[in-house]
């Protein structure tokens, strides 16, 4: 049997072993590359990150296009994704965000560098900065009025349960004090216009506010992100002493289900930013296609959506049927989820506010 065919057959056999059928780093199915220096199978996107890391990047090969030596194939067979995960992910903190193939470049790159370059999770290194319970540093923050990014000092404290920011490094009083338990943090590189862009969403006086940040150093911004998650988990364990980690993890920072634009009609909102609380379907919440008969609107709104809440209805329209159906799916997914005690409290605050 020609050498290439024999090697190809051996690699196909190895990749069928448990764990090797998904990327070792982001979980993407059917990885098409392998790291001969680490013994893991990875996807094409993660392979590009590996190639940029000294010492491990020189031996990244395509499973179908590259020439493999016998000893390299043997090394892959002796190791593989599951065994290497036991080594390089042995002590990943429960709150540390493990990115998927749907996440942005900076999250995936810093996860890969943390595992293989810095070896943060092997148990051999020192205590990491996101484990210290406090963080103090400078981040670029977008101004609310002019959209210009300026350097601002941020201070995160587990003891106080707050994230503060100051307009000047030596300012005595913070410009804002944000409760950590009200924060959601999500990477939004395209929206912010920077590959390391992080959006902080929080509640102030029952209103949703956003802060848009970035740092030129990818490790720094990802460490801030995981520091927030670490402190959030600490407070969740205090608030829910009987809950296990698996129950608390979904309450940490979450990616947005969907973000985009819809046109709105109906009654003018009595508050500055339109917000709608979506509770459970058993409590009078509903999302359906179309608009009520007689709705006054500009032009032909063919792809309407009606959101019904106990207090009022919200009327929207989408540009295409595809967008309409996608929004409806996400709305109904949320409405089908049972509400937590915190969400009942949030619902009551919305009713009181509006």
């Amino acid at each position: 049997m020609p050498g290439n065919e024999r090697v190809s057959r051996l690699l196909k056999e190895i990749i069928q072993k448990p764990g090797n059928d998904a990327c070792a780093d982001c979980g993407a199915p059917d990885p098409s590359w392998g790291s001969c220096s680490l013994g893991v199978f990875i996807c094409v996107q993660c392979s590009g990150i590996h190639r940029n890391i000294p010492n491990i990047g020189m031996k990244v090969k395509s499973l179908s296009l590259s020439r493999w030596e016998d000893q390299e194939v043997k090394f892959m067979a002796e190791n593989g994704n599951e065994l290497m995960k036991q080594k390089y992910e042995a002590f990943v903190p429960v709150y540390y965000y493990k990115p998927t193939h749907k996440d942005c470049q900076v999250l995936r790159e810093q996860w890969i560098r943390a595992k293989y370059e810095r070896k943060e999770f092997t148990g051999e290194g020192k205590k990491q900065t996101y484990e210290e319970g406090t963080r103090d540093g400078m981040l670029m923050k977008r101004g609310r009025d002019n959209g210009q990014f300026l350097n601002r000092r941020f201070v995160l404290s587990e003891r106080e349960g707050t994230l503060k920011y100051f307009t000047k490094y030596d300012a005595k009083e913070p410009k804002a004090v944000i409760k950590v338990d009200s924060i959601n943090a999500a990477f939004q590189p395209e929206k912010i216009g920077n590959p390391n862009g992080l959006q902080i969403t929080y509640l102030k006086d029952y209103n949703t506010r956003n802060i848009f940040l970035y740092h030129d150093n990818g490790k720094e911004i990802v460490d801030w992100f995981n520091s927030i998650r670490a402190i959030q988990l600490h407070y969740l364990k205090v608030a829910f002493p009987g809950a296990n980690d698996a129950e608390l993890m979904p309450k940490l920072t979450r990616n947005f289900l969907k973000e985009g634009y819809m046109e709105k009609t109906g009654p003018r909102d009595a508050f500055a930013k339109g917000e709608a609380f979506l509770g459970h379907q058993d409590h009078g919440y509903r999302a359906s296609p179309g608009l009520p008969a007689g709705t006054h609107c500009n032009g032909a709104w063919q792809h309407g959506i009606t959101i019904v809440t106990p207090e009022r209805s919200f009327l929207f329209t989408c540009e295409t049927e595809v967008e309409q159906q996608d929004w409806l799916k996400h709305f109904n997914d949320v409405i089908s989820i049972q509400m937590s005690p915190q969400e009942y409290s949030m619902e009551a605050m919305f009713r009181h506010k509006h």
Side-chain angles (χ1 to χ4, degrees), residues 103-115:
D103 283 302
C104 62
Q105 175 83 0
V106 68
L107 274 173
R108 288 185 288 114
E109 178 176 348
Q110 292 307 315
W111 167 238
I112 290 169
R113 288 185 179 274
K115 285 202 295 182

Side-chain angles (χ1 to χ4, degrees), residues 278-324:
L278 297 182
H280 190 260
Q281 56 198 11
D282 290 347
H283 300 286
Y285 295 90
R286 188 173 73 252
S288 58
L291 302 174
T295 300
H296 176 73
C297 52
N298 296 323
W301 283 15
Q302 299 178 356
H303 311 299
I305 295 175
T306 299
I307 302 290
V308 177
T309 74
E311 283 72 40
R312 58 170 286 190
S313 295
F314 295 84
L315 311 181
F316 304 99
T317 187
C318 305
E319 291 187 354
T320 67
E321 183 179 2
V322 172
E323 273 290 288
Q324 177 202 44

Side-chain angles (χ1 to χ4, degrees), residues 195-317:
N196 300 339
L198 182 68
Q199 178 175 340
I200 302 290
T201 303
Y202 64 100
L203 290 176
K204 181 180 180 181
D205 300 327
Y206 309 135
N207 285 309
T208 301
R209 301 289 182 89
N210 293 292
I211 296 178
F212 301 103
L213 309 168
Y214 76 85
H215 195 284
D216 288 331
N217 184 291
K219 180 182 183 301
E220 182 72 12
I221 197 69
V222 172
D223 282 353
W224 272 98
F225 176 67
N226 282 302
S227 295
I228 291 171
R229 289 173 61 86
I231 293 176
Q232 285 184 328
L233 183 61
H234 168 79
Y235 276 90
L236 283 169
K237 286 185 174 182
V238 173
F240 305 97
N244 58 40
D245 289 339
E247 293 171 323
L248 296 178
M249 288 304 294
K251 300 179 185 296
L252 298 184
T253 59
R254 298 173 293 279
N255 293 327
F256 294 104
L257 287 177
K258 184 174 175 65
E259 187 172 18
Y261 293 93
M262 292 187 290
E263 289 192 46
K264 178 185 175 297
T265 186
R268 178 176 297 177
D269 288 319
F271 41 96
K273 294 182 179 179
E275 295 174 301
F277 180 89
L278 297 182
H280 190 260
Q281 56 198 11
D282 290 347
H283 300 286
Y285 295 90
R286 188 173 73 252
S288 58
L291 302 174
T295 300
H296 176 73
C297 52
N298 296 323
W301 283 15
Q302 299 178 356
H303 311 299
I305 295 175
T306 299
I307 302 290
V308 177
T309 74
E311 283 72 40
R312 58 170 286 190
S313 295
F314 295 84
L315 311 181
F316 304 99
T317 187

Side-chain angles (χ1 to χ4, degrees), residues 113-150:
R113 288 185 179 274
K115 285 202 295 182
Y116 307 122
E117 184 180 41
R118 299 191 292 267
K119 296 182 175 62
E120 292 182 11
F121 315 122
T122 60
E124 301 169 357
K126 63 179 182 179
K127 189 175 182 179
Q128 304 301 325
T129 59
Y130 44 79
E131 299 177 292
E132 294 175 353
T134 184
R135 193 170 191 89
D136 189 332
M138 305 298 289
L139 297 171
M140 298 299 291
K141 175 187 175 294
R142 190 167 78 187
R144 186 172 63 178
D145 298 326
N146 58 16
Q148 182 181 0
F149 280 92
L150 297 171

